[in-house]
């Protein structure tokens, strides 16, 4: 993980074969991609799967999408869906601070499924792979 001066932690992910930078958010229930990016990552909409996302900025529309692959570093993530919503306030502010384009949030769904251990002082994200002991989310960049 990379730590920003704001205290936020960034991880490199691969979503349907494309690299992206996400922020780790232990307060987010689900993993989210900024809505305008869905088509660029080749996501398939799940019909009838719309809802709302509620956060510090209020409430906004959200949609569930199917995905083929999500990896955090070298660790394959088990889930095959991701939520999209307008993350422009979060991603815009953090992108300016980090000088990197941040496109999403890694939330509790992934962190819980992989029994995440976050070493804030490291900073390192450890994820449990299927039937394995805890493993680092990635090598140098994570």
């Amino acid at each position: 993980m990379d730590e920003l001066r704001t205290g936020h932690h960034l991880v490199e992910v691969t979503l349907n074969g494309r690299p992206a930078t996400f922020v780790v958010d232990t307060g987010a229930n689900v993993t989210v991609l900024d809505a305008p990016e869905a088509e660029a990552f080749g996501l398939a909409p799940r019909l009838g799967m719309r809802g709302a996302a509620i956060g510090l900025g209020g409430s906004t529309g959200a949609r569930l999408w199917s995905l083929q692959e999500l990896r955090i570093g070298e660790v394959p993530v088990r889930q095959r869906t991701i939520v999209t919503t307008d993350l422009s306030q979060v991603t815009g502010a953090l992108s300016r601070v980090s000088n990197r384009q941040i496109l999403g949030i890694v939330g509790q769904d992934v962190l819980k499924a992989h029994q995440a251990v976050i070493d804030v002082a490291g900073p390192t994200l450890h994820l449990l792979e299927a039937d394995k002991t805890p493993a680092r989310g990635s090598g140098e960049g994570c």
Side-chain angles (χ1 to χ4, degrees), residues 53-123:
I54 302 169
L56 291 176
S59 178
T60 186
R63 187 165 188 190
L64 187 65
W65 299 76
S66 295
L67 56 87
Q68 296 170 347
E69 173 196 32
L70 177 60
R71 298 174 83 72
I72 298 176
E74 298 300 317
V75 178
V77 173
R78 296 179 186 115
Q79 73 187 51
R80 292 293 169 246
T81 59
I82 192 166
V83 172
T84 59
T85 193
D86 178 9
L87 293 176
S88 60
Q89 289 184 345
V90 173
T91 58
L94 292 178
S95 292
R96 284 188 296 279
V97 170
S98 67
N99 292 318
R100 291 158 63 180
Q101 186 179 19
I102 299 169
L103 299 178
I105 294 170
V106 175
Q108 284 290 330
D109 54 349
V110 168
L111 299 175
K112 285 181 183 177
H114 292 272
Q115 299 179 29
V117 174
I118 300 171
D119 175 1
V120 176

Side-chain angles (χ1 to χ4, degrees), residues 8-21:
H8 294 88
H9 292 93
L10 305 180
V11 291
E12 296 305 316
V13 306
T14 302
L15 179 57
N16 286 352
R18 276 193 59 202
T21 303

Side-chain angles (χ1 to χ4, degrees), residues 75 78 114-117 125-137:
V75 178
R78 296 179 186 115
H114 292 272
Q115 299 179 29
V117 174
L125 173 63
H126 298 274
L127 299 172
L128 185 69
E129 294 185 64
D131 302 321
K132 294 186 180 180
T133 57
R136 288 190 128 173

Side-chain angles (χ1 to χ4, degrees), residues 41-53:
F41 281 92
L43 299 179
R46 297 197 60 170
L47 297 177
M49 302 302 285
R50 293 180 185 265

